[in-house]
Amino acid sequence: MPRNLFFYLVLFFAARCFAVPQEIELANGEWPPLLSASLPQYGYASQIVSRAFALENIQVKYRFYPWKRSLDEARRGNVQGSLLWIDSAERRQDFLYSQPVYRSKVVLFFNRDRPINWSQLNDLKGRRLGITHGYYYGAALSQLLLSQQVLSDIGNSDAQNFAKLLAKRVDGFPCEEIVGMYLIRHALGSKALEQLSISAPMIHEEPMYLLISRKTPNAEMLLQRFNRGLAKMQASGELNAILGAAQQR
């Protein structure tokens, strides 16, 4: 075979290989409207992650698990990563962290018949709050709950805690704002929407990330490409458009 022909064939097949979208599998969980197997594009946060990778020619497939298993599957390398998670020194031993995908805002929901006036967390001392098992509400509130200066009424789900709030069994319920409003609008109905409100101060705010397992081959490269795609979305305004749509659900 002539050397020139061999050279062009190598270039042709290399170009073909580069053009074929790569694929990544990520563990996901239920946190609508941000993450859900039953929502279009698997929720708004999943849409952001998929789009950022797509801009770098990488296709995403999601596997949905309970949250603990989602992290375990990624930690063992059965999938390449997982979303969405807050920062943790323990997790950084097993995962690489992306640039922030979403900024979670935990607010305090209350019953309009029993309004709560507060400006700082210490003002909630003596109050009874609905708390969802396994959820994190920030260091300050966690310390007040641990010391029992703020009383906790633990439920297995956000829906259960909203039910307690409607029944006036608790004084308030801290919940991620977009997630809480979605649940009220789509699961609890118009009466709950009229009865429940949000206090002005914020309980806790924290960025959330895509995690890539350190066991994934080329983990650093995948993370760099994701961050590059996410930066493109920020520059074009696409990221803010998706987050704006999430707030309207």
Side-chain angles (χ1 to χ4, degrees):
M1 178 184 296
R3 291 183 62 186
N4 286 346
L5 179 58
F6 176 77
F7 175 75
Y8 285 119
L9 284 173
V10 169
L11 286 180
F12 173 76
F13 286 111
R16 287 286 300 274
C17 291
F18 183 78
V20 174
Q22 291 178 291
E23 194 170 276
I24 184 171
E25 284 192 322
L26 299 175
N28 209 330
E30 288 296 322
W31 204 37
L34 299 171
L35 308 165
S36 179
S38 61
L39 287 177
Q41 301 184 71
Y42 304 114
Y44 291 101
S46 302
Q47 181 183 351
I48 291 169
V49 170
S50 296
R51 178 61 177 157
F53 271 122
L55 289 171
E56 290 294 310
N57 206 37
I58 298 174
Q59 181 181 357
V60 179
K61 287 190 174 181
Y62 294 108
R63 296 185 186 179
F64 282 83
Y65 303 105
W67 284 109
K68 185 179 183 301
R69 184 180 171 191
S70 181
L71 197 63
D72 288 343
E73 290 289 320
R75 183 178 282 115
R76 289 195 293 263
N78 295 333
V79 292
Q80 283 74 57
S82 182
L83 64 156
L84 291 169
W85 300 91
I86 61 173
D87 200 356
S88 157
E90 180 186 359
R91 292 189 194 120
R92 283 189 177 270
Q93 297 176 21
D94 300 305
F95 297 100
L96 302 176
Y97 274 67
S98 72
Q99 290 298 307
V101 175
Y102 175 72
R103 191 164 191 87
S104 172
K105 296 179 180 180
V106 177
V107 297
L108 187 66
F109 287 83
F110 65 90
N111 192 312
R112 292 177 189 270
D113 289 342
R114 297 172 63 181
I116 299 180
N117 295 314
W118 66 286
S119 59
Q120 55 186 359
L121 287 175
N122 281 338
D123 296 334
L124 298 176
K125 288 180 179 179
R127 297 283 192 173
R128 181 177 295 277
L129 303 184
I131 298 297
T132 302
H133 178 70
Y135 280 32
Y136 179 67
Y137 298 99
L141 181 55
S142 296
Q143 182 57 43
L144 289 171
L145 291 166
L146 185 64
S147 64
Q148 297 187 358
Q149 295 179 77
V150 174
L151 305 177
S152 62
D153 192 322
I154 300 174
N156 292 321
S157 68
D158 289 344
Q160 190 177 90
N161 279 312
F162 274 125
K164 288 186 289 189
L165 190 57
L166 286 167
K168 304 176 187 177
R169 289 172 46 198
V170 294
D171 298 309
F173 170 45
C175 185
E176 209 290 324
E177 184 175 12
I178 288 178
V179 172
M181 288 305 303
Y182 179 86
L183 183 58
I184 292 170
R185 290 181 180 127
H186 294 268
L188 302 180
S190 58
K191 185 176 180 180
L193 192 59
E194 294 172 1
Q195 196 67 30
L196 301 179
S197 189
I198 298 172
S199 60
M202 193 179 301
I203 293 284
H204 179 64
E205 185 176 12
E206 191 161 17
M208 303 189 77
Y209 307 86
L210 166 71
L211 307 187
I212 299 294
S213 172
R214 292 185 182 274
K215 291 186 177 181
T216 299
N218 300 317
E220 290 278 4
M221 180 271 293
L222 282 170
L223 193 68
Q224 289 172 8
R225 291 177 70 175
F226 173 77
N227 287 339
R228 194 160 59 220
L230 190 64
K232 291 176 184 176
M233 294 180 69
Q234 290 172 327
S236 69
E238 188 174 4
L239 181 60
N240 284 337
I242 294 173
L243 293 175
Q247 292 175 334
Q248 302 304 314
R249 287 298 298 266

